[in-house]
PDB file of all heavy atoms in Angstrom:
ATOM      1  N   SER A 106      98.846  87.909-169.166  1.00 72.00           N
ATOM      2  CA  SER A 106      99.239  87.218-167.938  1.00 72.00           C
ATOM      3  C   SER A 106      98.124  87.335-166.899  1.00 72.00           C
ATOM      4  O   SER A 106      97.169  88.094-167.060  1.00 72.00           O
ATOM      5  CB  SER A 106     100.535  87.823-167.400  1.00 72.00           C
ATOM      6  OG  SER A 106     100.370  89.209-167.131  1.00 72.00           O
ATOM      7  N   THR A 107      98.268  86.568-165.834  1.00 81.00           N
ATOM      8  CA  THR A 107      97.240  86.563-164.783  1.00 81.00           C
ATOM      9  C   THR A 107      97.055  87.950-164.194  1.00 81.00           C
ATOM     10  O   THR A 107      95.932  88.422-164.011  1.00 81.00           O
ATOM     11  CB  THR A 107      97.623  85.564-163.677  1.00 81.00           C
ATOM     12  OG1 THR A 107      97.803  84.271-164.259  1.00 81.00           O
ATOM     13  CG2 THR A 107      96.544  85.506-162.613  1.00 81.00           C
ATOM     14  N   TYR A 108      98.173  88.612-163.904  1.00 89.00           N
ATOM     15  CA  TYR A 108      98.115  89.988-163.423  1.00 89.00           C
ATOM     16  C   TYR A 108      98.187  90.901-164.648  1.00 89.00           C
ATOM     17  O   TYR A 108      99.207  90.937-165.343  1.00 89.00           O
ATOM     18  CB  TYR A 108      99.269  90.290-162.462  1.00 89.00           C
ATOM     19  CG  TYR A 108      99.234  91.699-161.920  1.00 89.00           C
ATOM     20  CD1 TYR A 108      98.459  92.006-160.808  1.00 89.00           C
ATOM     21  CD2 TYR A 108      99.957  92.723-162.530  1.00 89.00           C
ATOM     22  CE1 TYR A 108      98.405  93.298-160.310  1.00 89.00           C
ATOM     23  CE2 TYR A 108      99.910  94.016-162.043  1.00 89.00           C
ATOM     24  CZ  TYR A 108      99.134  94.303-160.932  1.00 89.00           C
ATOM     25  OH  TYR A 108      99.084  95.585-160.447  1.00 89.00           O
ATOM     26  N   PHE A 109      97.123  91.618-164.924  1.00 91.00           N
ATOM     27  CA  PHE A 109      97.010  92.373-166.170  1.00 91.00           C
ATOM     28  C   PHE A 109      97.612  93.765-166.028  1.00 91.00           C
ATOM     29  O   PHE A 109      97.090  94.608-165.305  1.00 91.00           O
ATOM     30  CB  PHE A 109      95.550  92.474-166.594  1.00 91.00           C
ATOM     31  CG  PHE A 109      95.351  93.214-167.895  1.00 91.00           C
ATOM     32  CD1 PHE A 109      95.909  92.749-169.073  1.00 91.00           C
ATOM     33  CD2 PHE A 109      94.611  94.390-167.921  1.00 91.00           C
ATOM     34  CE1 PHE A 109      95.729  93.425-170.275  1.00 91.00           C
ATOM     35  CE2 PHE A 109      94.419  95.068-169.113  1.00 91.00           C
ATOM     36  CZ  PHE A 109      94.984  94.595-170.297  1.00 91.00           C
ATOM     37  N   LYS A 110      98.714  93.989-166.717  1.00 92.00           N
ATOM     38  CA  LYS A 110      99.358  95.299-166.766  1.00 92.00           C
ATOM     39  C   LYS A 110      99.325  95.767-168.224  1.00 92.00           C
ATOM     40  O   LYS A 110     100.105  95.288-169.062  1.00 92.00           O
ATOM     41  CB  LYS A 110     100.792  95.214-166.253  1.00 92.00           C
ATOM     42  CG  LYS A 110     101.446  96.577-166.058  1.00 92.00           C
ATOM     43  CD  LYS A 110     102.795  96.439-165.365  1.00 92.00           C
ATOM     44  CE  LYS A 110     103.409  97.814-165.132  1.00 92.00           C
ATOM     45  NZ  LYS A 110     104.729  97.706-164.460  1.00 92.00           N
ATOM     46  N   PRO A 111      98.414  96.674-168.561  1.00 93.00           N
ATOM     47  CA  PRO A 111      98.152  96.983-169.965  1.00 93.00           C
ATOM     48  C   PRO A 111      99.376  97.364-170.782  1.00 93.00           C
ATOM     49  O   PRO A 111      99.566  96.848-171.894  1.00 93.00           O
ATOM     50  CB  PRO A 111      97.144  98.143-169.888  1.00 93.00           C
ATOM     51  CG  PRO A 111      96.439  97.931-168.590  1.00 93.00           C
ATOM     52  CD  PRO A 111      97.487  97.400-167.658  1.00 93.00           C
ATOM     53  N   GLN A 112     100.213  98.247-170.277  1.00 92.00           N
ATOM     54  CA  GLN A 112     101.349  98.694-171.090  1.00 92.00           C
ATOM     55  C   GLN A 112     102.362  97.576-171.302  1.00 92.00           C
ATOM     56  O   GLN A 112     102.954  97.467-172.378  1.00 92.00           O
ATOM     57  CB  GLN A 112     102.000  99.929-170.461  1.00 92.00           C
ATOM     58  CG  GLN A 112     101.118 101.169-170.579  1.00 92.00           C
ATOM     59  CD  GLN A 112     101.798 102.411-170.064  1.00 92.00           C
ATOM     60  OE1 GLN A 112     102.624 102.365-169.153  1.00 92.00           O
ATOM     61  NE2 GLN A 112     101.443 103.550-170.634  1.00 92.00           N
ATOM     62  N   ALA A 113     102.556  96.727-170.307  1.00 92.00           N
ATOM     63  CA  ALA A 113     103.462  95.600-170.482  1.00 92.00           C
ATOM     64  C   ALA A 113     102.910  94.633-171.531  1.00 92.00           C
ATOM     65  O   ALA A 113     103.660  94.090-172.352  1.00 92.00           O
ATOM     66  CB  ALA A 113     103.660  94.877-169.152  1.00 92.00           C
ATOM     67  N   GLU A 114     101.597  94.433-171.523  1.00 93.00           N
ATOM     68  CA  GLU A 114     100.979  93.569-172.518  1.00 93.00           C
ATOM     69  C   GLU A 114     101.086  94.182-173.914  1.00 93.00           C
ATOM     70  O   GLU A 114     101.310  93.472-174.900  1.00 93.00           O
ATOM     71  CB  GLU A 114      99.513  93.305-172.172  1.00 93.00           C
ATOM     72  CG  GLU A 114      99.297  92.569-170.858  1.00 93.00           C
ATOM     73  CD  GLU A 114      99.822  91.141-170.882  1.00 93.00           C
ATOM     74  OE1 GLU A 114     100.134  90.617-171.964  1.00 93.00           O
ATOM     75  OE2 GLU A 114      99.915  90.535-169.789  1.00 93.00           O
ATOM     76  N   GLN A 115     100.925  95.499-174.013  1.00 94.00           N
ATOM     77  CA  GLN A 115     101.093  96.170-175.298  1.00 94.00           C
ATOM     78  C   GLN A 115     102.499  95.950-175.851  1.00 94.00           C
ATOM     79  O   GLN A 115     102.674  95.623-177.030  1.00 94.00           O
ATOM     80  CB  GLN A 115     100.835  97.674-175.150  1.00 94.00           C
ATOM     81  CG  GLN A 115      99.377  98.064-175.059  1.00 94.00           C
ATOM     82  CD  GLN A 115      99.215  99.573-175.032  1.00 94.00           C
ATOM     83  OE1 GLN A 115     100.025 100.299-174.452  1.00 94.00           O
ATOM     84  NE2 GLN A 115      98.144 100.056-175.652  1.00 94.00           N
ATOM     85  N   MET A 116     103.484  96.159-175.024  1.00 93.00           N
ATOM     86  CA  MET A 116     104.863  96.014-175.468  1.00 93.00           C
ATOM     87  C   MET A 116     105.142  94.584-175.916  1.00 93.00           C
ATOM     88  O   MET A 116     105.748  94.348-176.968  1.00 93.00           O
ATOM     89  CB  MET A 116     105.838  96.431-174.364  1.00 93.00           C
ATOM     90  CG  MET A 116     107.294  96.403-174.801  1.00 93.00           C
ATOM     91  SD  MET A 116     108.437  96.946-173.491  1.00 93.00           S
ATOM     92  CE  MET A 116     107.947  98.655-173.299  1.00 93.00           C
ATOM     93  N   ALA A 117     104.671  93.612-175.148  1.00 92.00           N
ATOM     94  CA  ALA A 117     104.897  92.204-175.497  1.00 92.00           C
ATOM     95  C   ALA A 117     104.192  91.857-176.806  1.00 92.00           C
ATOM     96  O   ALA A 117     104.751  91.172-177.676  1.00 92.00           O
ATOM     97  CB  ALA A 117     104.403  91.306-174.365  1.00 92.00           C
ATOM     98  N   ALA A 118     102.957  92.346-176.971  1.00 93.00           N
ATOM     99  CA  ALA A 118     102.204  92.044-178.185  1.00 93.00           C
ATOM    100  C   ALA A 118     102.817  92.722-179.406  1.00 93.00           C
ATOM    101  O   ALA A 118     102.849  92.153-180.508  1.00 93.00           O
ATOM    102  CB  ALA A 118     100.752  92.478-178.017  1.00 93.00           C
ATOM    103  N   ALA A 119     103.335  93.932-179.231  1.00 93.00           N
ATOM    104  CA  ALA A 119     103.983  94.630-180.338  1.00 93.00           C
ATOM    105  C   ALA A 119     105.219  93.867-180.796  1.00 93.00           C
ATOM    106  O   ALA A 119     105.453  93.689-181.997  1.00 93.00           O
ATOM    107  CB  ALA A 119     104.348  96.052-179.929  1.00 93.00           C
ATOM    108  N   HIS A 120     106.006  93.403-179.842  1.00 91.00           N
ATOM    109  CA  HIS A 120     107.227  92.652-180.177  1.00 91.00           C
ATOM    110  C   HIS A 120     106.902  91.294-180.795  1.00 91.00           C
ATOM    111  O   HIS A 120     107.609  90.818-181.685  1.00 91.00           O
ATOM    112  CB  HIS A 120     108.080  92.463-178.926  1.00 91.00           C
ATOM    113  CG  HIS A 120     108.732  93.739-178.474  1.00 91.00           C
ATOM    114  ND1 HIS A 120     109.297  93.879-177.226  1.00 91.00           N
ATOM    115  CD2 HIS A 120     108.908  94.921-179.095  1.00 91.00           C
ATOM    116  CE1 HIS A 120     109.789  95.100-177.105  1.00 91.00           C
ATOM    117  NE2 HIS A 120     109.556  95.755-178.225  1.00 91.00           N
ATOM    118  N   ALA A 121     105.810  90.684-180.352  1.00 92.00           N
ATOM    119  CA  ALA A 121     105.443  89.353-180.854  1.00 92.00           C
ATOM    120  C   ALA A 121     104.609  89.423-182.126  1.00 92.00           C
ATOM    121  O   ALA A 121     104.353  88.385-182.755  1.00 92.00           O
ATOM    122  CB  ALA A 121     104.677  88.589-179.776  1.00 92.00           C
ATOM    123  N   GLY A 122     104.159  90.617-182.497  1.00 92.00           N
ATOM    124  CA  GLY A 122     103.302  90.754-183.675  1.00 92.00           C
ATOM    125  C   GLY A 122     101.897  90.245-183.455  1.00 92.00           C
ATOM    126  O   GLY A 122     101.235  89.804-184.398  1.00 92.00           O
ATOM    127  N   THR A 123     101.405  90.338-182.210  1.00 93.00           N
ATOM    128  CA  THR A 123     100.084  89.793-181.897  1.00 93.00           C
ATOM    129  C   THR A 123      99.086  90.859-181.460  1.00 93.00           C
ATOM    130  O   THR A 123      98.088  90.546-180.811  1.00 93.00           O
ATOM    131  CB  THR A 123     100.205  88.725-180.792  1.00 93.00           C
ATOM    132  OG1 THR A 123     100.798  89.310-179.612  1.00 93.00           O
ATOM    133  CG2 THR A 123     101.028  87.538-181.260  1.00 93.00           C
TER     134      THR A 123
END
Side-chain angles (χ1 to χ4, degrees):
S106 59
T107 303
Y108 181 85
F109 181 61
K110 190 172 182 180
Q112 289 185 329
E114 297 294 347
Q115 283 185 324
M116 184 178 295
H120 288 165
T123 59

